[in-house]
Amino acid sequence: MSFRSIEAVVEPNNLHYVGDGFRVYGILGRKEPLTMKRMSPFLLMDYAPPHYFPPNKGAPRGVSSHPHRGIETVTIAYKGKVEHHDSSGGGGIIAEGDVQWMTSGSGILHKEYHEKNFGKKGGEMQMVQLWVNLPAKDKMTTPKYQNLNKKNFAKIELENKAGSIDIIAGEYDNKKGPASSFSPINLFSIDLNKGKGTNLSFDKSHNTGLLVIKGNVTINNIEKVPTNHFVLFNNDGTEFTLRAGEDSTILVLSGEPIDEPIASYGPFVMNTNEEIKQTIDDFNSGKFGYLD
């Protein structure tokens, strides 16, 4: 057994709005140590902590039509309801506990906004959105959309009534999550009861981190991590332990690094600046489709 040590515990900062519907911390992909390269294949994470939106009778709050190429966007709804539409015909509503997994591939336009009835009534919103890189060979794959319902996640009930693990992507304890990905990824949402804990193990070479969504946890019986903080692990072992100081929810992500150059510009992530220039030309010439 080799334990994985902590490289950094990063407190949330840079609270800002994306559009007018998502109040987020920029967790991954902005600055050291959580750069796009360091947590590859996870490029970016925006985390919307719980925030109450009052009833809205106007246009739905959210983010208007915008493009992507070369990545996948993964949105996890912890509270509230979000609706999505894209230029490939994908779309749907994600309710509490659900996940939408959009592959932008060769190019897509999409918009995300508060679901109609949720917007009218108002309520608390809590969300995570990840950008997951695509390998160079898959950058121009055909766009697709996965609407993942919580009831279809593989669930592990932990021993001693410690809690449970929802497997969104990847595999654990011989159970496999429903999401398909283009490189090896584990994405788990874990609920731990107060005073209880569990051990997790991932490939030593895989970049691994976690976000404390609710409560607080102690890692390896050493480091206490509060709500909204992100933990980046070193690639020096396979296992680590979690113990909840109160009822807690933790999002764990681990994946095989994509060891390729990263060229990014706004919503586009490719491998070279030349590909970025071509992407901008393709977008401007209407090759990403059309979306109201």
Side-chain angles (χ1 to χ4, degrees), residues 92-107:
I93 295 170
I94 56 168
E96 293 186 9
D98 296 344
V99 174
Q100 62 175 18
W101 195 300
M102 185 189 77
T103 304
S104 69
S106 59

Side-chain angles (χ1 to χ4, degrees), residues 10 132 177:
V10 181
V132 180

Side-chain angles (χ1 to χ4, degrees), residues 24-223:
V24 305
Y25 291 117
I27 303 289
L28 297 182
R30 268 80 177 187
K31 60 182 181 180
E32 296 284 350
L34 300 177
T35 63
M36 285 186 170
K37 196 72 173 177
R38 177 62 187 88
M39 269 301 293
S40 173
F42 307 100
L43 299 170
L44 177 146
M45 176 194 282
D46 278 344
Y47 171 53
H51 179 72
Y52 176 78
F53 287 90
N56 175 38
K57 295 181 180 179
R61 297 183 179 99
V63 184
S64 59
S65 178
H66 59 283
H68 287 291
R69 174 180 277 181
I71 62 169
E72 300 186 283
T73 64
V74 179
T75 304
I76 305 166
Y78 282 99
K79 293 182 180 180
K81 288 185 178 181
V82 173
E83 200 159 352
H84 161 97
H85 284 96
D86 65 52
S87 56
S88 74
I93 295 170
I94 56 168
E96 293 186 9
D98 296 344
V99 174
Q100 62 175 18
W101 195 300
M102 185 189 77
T103 304
S104 69
S106 59
I108 203 169
L109 303 176
H110 80 142
K111 57 184 179 180
E112 299 160 291
Y113 48 94
H114 294 191
E115 186 267 336
K116 183 178 179 180
N117 289 328
F118 174 84
K120 285 182 177 180
K121 293 179 181 178
E124 199 167 46
M125 180 75 71
Q126 185 180 21
M127 301 272 166
V128 173
Q129 185 172 91
L130 292 164
W131 287 12
V132 180
N133 202 9
L134 288 170
K137 65 182 180 60
D138 298 310
K139 288 285 188 187
M140 298 296 285
T141 193
T142 302
K144 70 174 183 177
Y145 180 79
Q146 301 174 71
N147 198 341
L148 306 172
N149 191 289
K150 180 179 173 66
K151 68 181 182 182
N152 295 323
F153 298 162
K155 183 178 284 288
I156 297 173
E157 297 292 344
L158 299 172
E159 295 180 355
N160 301 318
K161 297 182 179 179
S164 62
I165 301 176
D166 280 335
I167 303 175
I168 301 167
E171 187 173 350
Y172 205 77
D173 197 24
N174 297 317
K175 292 188 177 182
K176 185 174 176 59
S180 65
S181 61
F182 287 81
S183 63
I185 286 173
N186 288 299
L187 186 63
F188 304 161
S189 186
I190 302 177
D191 290 312
L192 289 178
N193 296 320
K194 180 179 179 180
K196 302 291 186 176
T198 190
N199 289 16
L200 294 171
S201 180
F202 300 104
D203 189 294
K204 182 177 178 179
S205 68
H206 287 197
N207 291 332
T208 301
L210 63 81
L211 177 67
V212 180
I213 300 290
K214 182 182 79 172
N216 65 77
V217 295
T218 298
I219 298 174
N220 295 338
N221 296 316
I222 297 172
E223 185 81 31

